């Protein structure tokens, strides 16, 4: 089963800021997010508490997303980088 990736506005804006700051270095994060359509719970992501929220980390970058099994969608809620 394939999930639909839905980008929330805050996540899109966060990705824009990261691309402006770091250029192509964010490509692995985007690739990891796109791969969630086929595997929504990869080993590289951590579950956040008892919610449907998960957080993958790719290098210094991270995203927060929610799995919605009812509509077979993944909402990307936030994209950012960790403190250096």
């Amino acid at each position: 089963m394939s999930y639909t990736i839905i980008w929330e506005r805050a996540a899109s804006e966060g990705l824009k800021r990261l691309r402006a700051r770091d250029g192509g270095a964010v490509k692995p994060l985007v690739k990891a997010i796109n791969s969630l359509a086929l595997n929504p719970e990869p080993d590289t992501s951590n579950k956040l508490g008892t919610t449907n929220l998960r957080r993958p980390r790719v290098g210094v970058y991270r995203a927060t997303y929610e799995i919605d099994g009812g509509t077979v969608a993944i909402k990307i809620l936030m994209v950012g980088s960790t403190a250096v």
Side-chain angles (χ1 to χ4, degrees):
M1 171 182 353
S2 180
Y3 285 74
T4 301
I5 305 289
I6 300 169
W7 286 80
E8 294 290 320
R9 183 178 178 148
S12 294
E13 290 172 357
L15 182 60
K16 252 187 232 180
R17 282 191 302 272
L18 288 176
R19 281 186 171 154
R21 187 185 76 190
D22 299 340
V26 297
K27 284 184 181 181
L29 175 65
V30 174
K31 184 177 178 181
I33 290 171
N34 289 334
S35 72
L36 295 173
L38 297 176
N39 182 11
E41 297 181 13
D43 293 337
T44 57
S45 72
N46 299 319
K47 188 169 182 167
L48 301 178
T50 59
T51 66
N52 286 336
L53 297 178
R54 296 188 70 88
R55 179 182 295 152
R57 291 182 188 258
V58 180
V60 297
Y61 303 107
R62 68 197 186 293
T64 302
Y65 66 96
E66 177 180 32
I67 301 170
D68 185 349
T71 60
V72 190
I74 295 175
K75 288 184 188 177
I76 309 301
L77 304 173
M78 188 275 308
V79 174
S81 64
T82 57
V84 179

